Amino acid sequence: MASARGEFSSRFGFVMAAAGSAVGLGNIWGFPTQAASNGGAAFLLVYLVVAFTLAYPALMAELIIGRHAHANAVSALRQVANNRGQRLVGGLTGIVGFVVASLILSFYAIVAGWMMAFCGASLATLSGAEDLAAWLTSFSLECNLLSMAVFLALTIAIVGKGVNDGIERWSSRLMPALLLTLVLLVAYVLTLDGALQGLKVYLLPDFSRALAPDLILKALGAAFFSLSLGVGTMLIYGSYLDDRQNLPLVGGMVTAVDIGIAVLAGFLVLPAMYVALHNGVEIFSAGGQLISEDTLIFTVLPDLFARMGLAGSVVSLFFFFLMGIAALTSSISMLEVPVAYTVETYGTGRKQAAVAIGCAIGVVSAVILLDFADLFGLVVTLTTRYSQPLIGFVFCIYAGWIWHRDKLLQELRKGNPEVASGLFWKIWPWWVRFFCPAIILAIFVQSLL
Ligand code: PFF
């Protein structure tokens, strides 16, 4: 029952697509690496707290506004505004959101390209092409450029096809396979020597570190990145959702799947790090810092797979394939943000918009690769740590202060007539009005001081 704009055909399809957007490199590359370099369990603890208290309410703000407006972020924020000034700020926020989404995609495509290159390398190893395998895992500029371009081309192809044929179909098939593979790998890694130490680092918090403002800001950025917030992605996905869906419930399902997979990936990556350390792989510098954060999992996981003998190459192939797919279900949701805006505002064809915007993003990725040392970390920090929570803050202001409370309730009632008497309606409206904006701002001010 897809409308002219495209619509998810079932709750399962939506949850898989939204969880597909949420679950990606942020869960398996970003979160465990940050946990490893920021005190393990202390980071996990703060991450869980901010994910449930700040990220879930902000996700609900995006989903509700999106479903109400059935439009992209720029038009949606304008629709809920009451006067010219609010319309202007709303439109600008939407536009900043899509610039940030495009910038995120420009670094995301690089890391996702590495996933695909490592997948190709496992295939090459299995077919005896050792030289090719070595090239694919070399992180050379040529290889990085090529794998980034291939990944972006796949993203463009799926977004060009639209909501039902592209986004929903792929997400529904591949997300469950990823979950199963992760569970099996965790079970395996926990049987190895050294894993216990990793488990301790991950689960026994040092509470003094948990209160450091910088750690809290990093965890906030990680949670917003992981749930795809603050760029308009979830708003757009909400806009493709039909009115019968119970929004707090589907939002809760997406949050639970996303956080669950991040925490699960921590059970793989942190023990795998210490297994690799146990095997003599250098991970920490003399000062106790991680040697290269960005490529950490490309060191420790191949070491893990190598210990499994021939079976390891098969597992490696499967793992990096699924990671590439997880990245793809996220990257399509990023490209969807500027594409939906362009199609809905200028009437451009979906395919043309996807190709033109995707190619422009490819150019930015290439520039980042040419000066990786200076640009990569900068773009990641600027977009994920600062922009996403700040734009999320504006979404909370629009849901909590600007949009009329009765209209909000009306929107929620569509999928759940009894919502007014439930816990969600008792807590969320004032939570998103006072608590979320105040705490997000406080975290920023604290970390700047
Ligand atoms: N949530 C994705 C991940 O964890 O990998 C990243 C992401 C997707 C960020 C979509 C922003 C976005 F709009």
Side-chain angles (χ1 to χ4, degrees), residues 16 19-20 22-24 26-29 31-32 47 174-180 182-183 186 202 226 254-269 323 326:
M16 285 299 113
V23 176
N27 305 62
I28 291 153
W29 165 77
F31 168 76
Y47 180 82
L174 295 160
M175 288 292 302
L178 177 69
L179 185 61
L180 185 69
L182 265 185
V183 171
V186 170
Y202 190 42
S226 188
V254 171
T255 309
V257 171
D258 182 57
I259 294 174
I261 292 194
V263 173
L264 184 64
F267 279 102
L268 170 65
V269 175
M323 275 315 300

Side-chain angles (χ1 to χ4, degrees), residues 213-228:
D214 195 44
L215 185 143
I216 301 178
L217 182 65
K218 283 181 182 163
L220 180 70
F224 269 63
F225 181 67
S226 188
L227 269 173
S228 312

Side-chain angles (χ1 to χ4, degrees), residues 20-27 101 104 108 224-229 231-234 258 326-327 330-331 333-334 337 388:
S21 164
V23 176
L25 303 176
N27 305 62
I104 291 178
Y108 208 82
F224 269 63
F225 181 67
S226 188
L227 269 173
S228 312
L229 299 176
V231 290
T233 285
M234 285 302 179
D258 182 57
S330 299
S331 66
S333 74
M334 291 173 213
V337 177
Q388 286 192 278

Side-chain angles (χ1 to χ4, degrees), residues 14 33 65 71 80 110 177 186 191 196 268 334 358 398 407 421 442:
F14 169 78
T33 312
I65 295 178
V80 299
I110 295 173
V186 170
T191 64
L196 203 63
L268 170 65
M334 291 173 213
Y398 270 72
K407 295 209 179 115
S421 53

Side-chain angles (χ1 to χ4, degrees), residues 360-415:
I361 291 172
V363 172
V364 179
S365 302
V367 172
I368 295 178
L369 278 171
L370 289 173
D371 188 4
F372 189 84
D374 290 323
L375 293 180
F376 185 81
L378 182 72
V379 178
V380 173
T381 308
L382 216 66
T383 52
T384 63
R385 200 167 301 161
Y386 295 101
S387 309
Q388 286 192 278
L390 281 180
I391 303 174
F393 167 85
V394 180
F395 285 132
C396 290
I397 297 287
Y398 270 72
W401 292 90
I402 292 180
W403 198 10
H404 210 277
R405 220 177 121 99
D406 295 343
K407 295 209 179 115
L408 226 165
L409 182 58
Q410 243 175 33
E411 186 58 42
L412 283 166
R413 274 208 176 113
K414 287 181 185 163

Side-chain angles (χ1 to χ4, degrees), residues 65 68-69 75-82 86 398-399 402-404:
I65 295 178
H68 170 75
S75 326
L77 290 178
R78 283 206 188 119
Q79 270 188 42
V80 299
N82 307 306
Q86 291 174 358
Y398 270 72
I402 292 180
W403 198 10
H404 210 277

